[in-house]
Amino acid sequence: MNETASLVFILVGISFDLFGCIGLIRLPDVYNRLQASTKCVTLGTCGILFGVFLRLGFSAGGVKALICIVFVLLTAPVAAHALAKGAHKYGVKLWERSVCDKYTEDKK
Amino acid sequence: MRYIRSRAITFTVSILLWLLLSFSLDWQHLLVGAFAALLVAWMMGDMFAGQPGKWLSPRRYGWFAFYMFVFAWECFKANIDVAYRVLSPRLPINPGIVKVKTTLKTETALTFLANFITLTPGTFSVDIEKESGYIYIHWIDVKTQNIEEASRIIVSKSERILKEVFE
């Protein structure tokens, strides 16, 4: 039972990681790509780690996997903010069909 | 010594984390862990636990557990949403950067709010102006450019919970 559940979690995690990578290629600009990569890769990686935890149970390895989940959840969004803010500061344009850009309007 | 309560909290949290990471109650592990935790607590001062009183109220932990549930569910929804947008052949996106206003003030609460926004469906925070409480958000499917309405859609739900936890 535990084996099956852990395999399911790992498979779901890997497929979300794959969706994130597809998004990284298909979406048009830096900001949209960050959307896809942060969200999907965060949940995908957490899924894989949770699968590892289910397989190992409350042992040294399993608890480390749980702590890694917390670590990924706290750091991935911060890295994304830093990348987006840096890109905007450096002057990377939004996609030409974007609706609005209040940030540029306010910075002028 | 100054900040004695803040340092005690930092010490407790770091030694708990150490115990989980080393996962053994051997006295050698405990000794090294206690030494490392003391060093961390001494160096951090009040950086980690700015207002130690807040760490002692059980109500905040209850709200935090509730926040974790909401967060997990929103995170799951966000992933389904992005996967749908990425896989659909027409690429249904309508992106833009909007501006929302938040009433949260403390730094921890703002950090958690920004993280929440980033991992929830279609939104992703770019910058925060702490003094005025404005957050610039990249929205993959812009529904409104109005500040009040965007705030209602994006931040109001998590803001209520985070206010109970951190303020």
Side-chain angles (χ1 to χ4, degrees):
Chain A
M1 171 60 207
N2 243 2
E3 298 276 293
T4 326
S6 85
L7 275 181
V8 168
F9 268 100
I10 292 177
L11 276 178
V12 170
I14 290 175
S15 37
F16 273 118
D17 270 359
L18 178 69
F19 295 154
C21 295
I22 294 174
L24 204 60
I25 296 168
R26 282 201 69 194
L27 292 172
D29 69 354
V30 175
Y31 309 98
N32 287 312
R33 286 175 174 172
L34 273 173
Q35 290 253 16
S37 56
T38 353
K39 288 188 181 80
C40 284
V41 173
T42 307
L43 191 80
T45 313
C46 288
I48 295 173
L49 286 169
F50 194 72
V52 170
F53 164 72
L54 283 183
R55 179 148 235 168
L56 297 177
F58 277 100
S59 65
V63 172
K64 282 192 186 73
L66 277 188
I67 293 175
C68 282
I69 291 182
V70 178
F71 189 70
V72 168
L73 279 181
L74 285 178
T75 50
V78 177
H81 304 164
L83 282 172
K85 198 178 167 185
H88 209 284
K89 210 165 194 167
Y90 196 68
V92 178
K93 293 269 184 304
L94 269 75
W95 188 36
E96 67 267 23
R97 272 156 63 194
S98 296
V99 183
C100 57
D101 186 357
K102 303 275 191 220
Y103 195 40
T104 315
E105 286 168 24
D106 283 6
K107 289 290 141 171
K108 266 176 193 162
Chain B
M1 196 163 113
R2 289 163 67 214
Y3 308 134
I4 190 93
R5 290 171 72 199
S6 306
R7 284 188 162 126
I9 289 166
T10 314
F11 177 78
T12 318
V13 172
S14 27
I15 201 154
L16 276 179
L17 188 64
W18 171 274
L19 283 178
L20 284 176
L21 276 175
S22 71
F23 214 71
S24 86
L25 285 172
D26 193 42
W27 70 270
Q28 291 170 329
H29 279 118
L30 277 178
L31 190 69
V32 177
F35 183 70
L38 269 180
L39 187 71
V40 170
W42 172 69
M43 287 200 306
M44 292 293 278
D46 70 337
M47 274 165 73
F48 180 65
Q51 289 147 304
K54 287 183 182 174
W55 285 75
L56 301 174
S57 84
R59 200 175 53 87
R60 290 180 193 275
Y61 291 97
W63 276 102
F64 190 69
F66 178 58
Y67 166 75
M68 292 303 285
F69 269 107
V70 175
F71 179 77
W73 173 240
E74 291 288 326
C75 192
F76 185 69
K77 262 188 358 200
N79 278 275
I80 302 291
D81 179 67
V82 171
Y84 160 71
R85 283 179 204 283
V86 162
L87 293 180
S88 122
R90 287 188 303 107
L91 209 64
I93 58 174
N94 183 25
I97 294 183
V98 296
K99 184 174 166 184
V100 300
K101 185 156 176 53
T102 171
T103 51
L104 297 176
K105 287 282 179 291
T106 57
E107 279 182 16
T108 327
L110 282 172
T111 312
F112 269 86
L113 182 66
N115 278 10
F116 188 90
I117 288 169
T118 300
L119 292 175
T120 48
T123 53
F124 158 60
S125 45
V126 176
D127 199 4
I128 295 184
E129 273 179 18
K130 197 173 161 249
E131 289 76 32
S132 46
Y134 285 117
I135 307 182
Y136 295 95
I137 290 178
H138 183 268
W139 202 351
I140 205 166
D141 180 21
V142 176
K143 294 198 182 72
T144 167
Q145 296 186 30
N146 183 291
I147 293 180
E148 280 83 36
E149 210 159 323
S151 309
R152 196 173 48 76
I153 298 174
I154 299 174
V155 296
S156 61
K157 197 183 339 173
S158 48
E159 207 177 52
R160 273 208 320 275
I161 308 174
L162 286 171
K163 197 164 239 164
E164 298 288 340
V165 182
F166 293 108
E167 299 213 328

